[in-house]
Amino acid sequence: FNGTTAVCTAFCKGDSTKDTISATLTLYQGTTRIDSWSASGTGRVSFNEECKVEYGKTYRLELSCSINGTTQPSVSATKTCQR
């Protein structure tokens, strides 16, 4: 976090530079989706996004991606926005 801005960075990388990748990065507060970003490409897909958040609330950032059409296990990180 940078104050009340969540800086959301993540990437999904294939084994080969020719792998086809589709990915979605989603920010949640509890069960509420705050924002979501999608991207696709070959070899690697990266995210570097920002979103307004509130102090004292806990947020979860989740990355879902598929490589060559095969869904990969999602990964997530949870953190509380503190002053």
Side-chain angles (χ1 to χ4, degrees):
F1 296 102
N2 182 6
T4 56
T5 300
V7 181
C8 306
T9 60
F11 69 89
C12 182
K13 184 176 180 291
D15 291 329
S16 164
T17 57
K18 296 180 182 179
D19 286 338
T20 301
I21 299 172
S22 296
T24 301
L25 185 65
T26 307
L27 182 67
Y28 295 93
Q29 193 272 309
T31 58
T32 302
R33 187 182 76 170
I34 303 300
D35 212 338
S36 185
W37 306 272
S38 295
S40 59
T42 54
R44 177 183 168 122
V45 168
S46 299
F47 295 92
N48 187 9
E49 307 292 346
E50 294 186 351
C51 183
K52 287 296 181 186
V53 292
E54 297 178 45
Y55 286 126
K57 293 192 175 180
T58 300
Y59 297 87
R60 178 170 56 91
L61 188 64
E62 182 177 277
L63 176 66
S64 302
C65 79
S66 65
I67 300 175
N68 298 325
T70 301
T71 301
Q72 306 299 305
S74 62
V75 292
S76 66
T78 301
K79 191 171 183 181
T80 300
C81 182
Q82 297 177 335
R83 290 183 185 273

